[in-house]
Amino acid sequence: MASETEPTAPAVRLSHVDVAFPEPKGGVFKAVSNASLDVANSEFVAIVGPTGCGKSTLLNCAAGLLAPAAGHVEIFGMQLSGLNGHAGYLFQQDALMPWKTARDNIALALEIGGTPRIEAVERAQVWLGRVGLKSFGDRYAHQLSGGQRKRVGLAQVLIRNPKILLMDEPFGPLDAQTRQIMGNLLLDLWAGDKKAVLFVTHDLEEAIALADRVVIMSAGPEARIIGDHTIDLVRPRDATEVRLQPRFHALHKAIWGQLRSEVIKAYGGEIG
Amino acid sequence: MPIARWKLFLLQALVAVVALGVWHVGATIPISLDGQNKPVYLLPPFFFSAPLDVAQRVVKMFTDGTVKIATCAEPFNIATMLQTNNSCFGKTIWQHLAITSIEGLLAFAIGSIAGVALGFWFARRPLVAAVFDPYIKMFNALPRVVLAPIFMLWLGLGIWSKVALGVTLVFFIVFFNVYQGVREVSPVILANARMLGMSERQLFRHVYWPSALSWMFSSLHTSVGFAIIGAVVGEYLGSAAGLGYLIQQAEGTFDVTGVFAGMTILAAFVLLVDWLVTLVENRLLVWKPPAASQQV
């Protein structure tokens, strides 16, 4: 935590990043164009944009799962090549290994790094408790609800204590109540050691409730970063109750004004 | 709505009773008399035998302990059995069963190991897969029965020609399943495993391997079934022991009762093996969600 060397460089720096995919009929599809974004150490940044705007693509660049077509990615001041070893990644879809129990899924994250099995399992049990699944360790993925699977996924990522947390619409498939509960869980866990977080979502309310900064992306293709808003709501926050504050409404109104035209553009593009 | 267990069992038993009843009536109650005042049956016993005769024969096979083939002083052991065309094979029904089981088991083991190994190799090396693709298709399309005489020529009349036939059947099922399983590992699970820091070796152990195995196990019923089919067909075409041999011998002497008795034992044997496979499967695939059709 505080004892760690405090690098002055931002945890994640994307500078002038382009992302392009080859199209099946030839040519290239440019998903993201000239995106620059810094995430400081212990900062919680949310990226919001209309569906299909390339938010996840940008996140994959920060994770090293995808190489940008132009521009570069720096992690703590070092040029990223290959996978980002400092980052934990929580995926939108279920990424648990279905053939392992919840506990083994979490323990595996440690075992990979060479932690002895017994110790890994013990620590996994501690993490099961932290995400509120103390007695669910022996269940397999299909025996857990969507929210419970996300909790296991969160524990699996956090048990390795990554310096950066990348989240790709992690609570997207969950129902509204579960999302807010998960949001609070995330805030609680994050408050412990304040990792740098890059959180992708299409839900503006969720973004404002959780983040320090909300970054807006335009509709794709060639999506750009078109807005960067500081969220000055006091912490600690309650992801549910914060939504009732007047300041929340003011922020929501200001940001939504910018986002709305992009959302309409995204749908218009699809329909047209 | 799920059917009550006893109700299902009763209905299943009813099917057997009706089928056997029709057979029994057709084979034992004459419908008229012919010119020499001999009874005429709907299902003449010479062609169809009768359920009670078959049952008696099955019981006799198990109680007598001997099934007409040359008796022999030597005690039963696997070493003699492996020798080609040894007349000491198959003294008792248990030995016939043992031989068919061993052949099936060996065919299953060898076919599975080869299928898993090649399935993995092909899935991870697209070039290899592309080069061998037409040959794999060619061999898979080949009716395996035509290979049986060749295997006998190469491997003799002992168990290995039957094992080889079974292997050619099992291999392709396992191979295609593992190939598919490795290639269709969820990209999200793979990406997650990579982000968690897995090396290629760890990916193999924790992701590819369990995924491929789960596909292999999902075809367990089919591949075990085919292993037994390979063994029985091989025995049928030329051997000195095994269930296939028993049936073939009975057919050779127009002993229809013997044929049906052999088939009955084979059917019971297959049911037993299938039940064992289900046990193994339930144990190995606890993590699998129940199939959609079984939910409700």
Side-chain angles (χ1 to χ4, degrees), chain A residues 35-124:
Chain A
S36 296
L37 174 68
D38 280 4
V39 181
N41 220 349
S42 65
E43 190 180 25
F44 195 132
V45 176
I47 304 180
V48 185
T51 44
C53 75
K55 311 178 289 266
S56 307
T57 317
L58 211 52
L59 199 65
N60 287 343
C61 283
L65 287 167
L66 199 66
H72 48 253
V73 181
E74 282 173 23
I75 303 299
F76 293 114
M78 303 278 283
Q79 175 95 31
L80 178 66
S81 63
L83 288 181
N84 183 347
H86 292 292
Y89 196 127
L90 193 60
F91 289 83
Q92 180 180 8
Q93 306 96 322
D94 281 324
L96 297 178
M97 270 152 271
W99 42 81
K100 288 189 183 288
T101 60
R103 188 185 297 108
D104 283 347
N105 259 295
I106 301 172
L108 182 64
L110 285 179
E111 285 177 74
I112 292 164
T115 310
R117 163 118 187 117
I118 295 171
E119 191 196 328
V121 170
E122 267 171 27
R123 284 170 59 188

Side-chain angles (χ1 to χ4, degrees), chain B residues 177 212-222 281 285 288:
Chain B
N177 269 297
L213 277 194
S214 77
W215 278 72
M216 191 196 125
F217 287 134
S218 66
S219 62
L220 210 56
H221 285 279
T222 326
E281 206 177 42
L285 295 181
K288 273 230 160 160

Side-chain angles (χ1 to χ4, degrees), chain A residues 95 98-99 112 140 142 156 160, chain B residues 192 195-197 202 206 210 287:
Chain A
W99 42 81
I112 292 164
Y140 290 95
H142 81 272
Q156 189 186 45
R160 291 174 64 236
Chain B
N192 186 41
M195 284 308 293
L196 290 173
Q202 285 168 327
H206 295 294
W287 57 269

Side-chain angles (χ1 to χ4, degrees), chain A residues 7 22 32-33 57 59 67-68 95 109 115 123 141 158 200 202 206 223 252 265:
Chain A
V32 177
S33 168
T57 317
L59 199 65
T115 310
R123 284 170 59 188
L158 290 178
V200 164
H202 60 262
E206 186 177 55
H252 188 275
K265 233 185 270 170

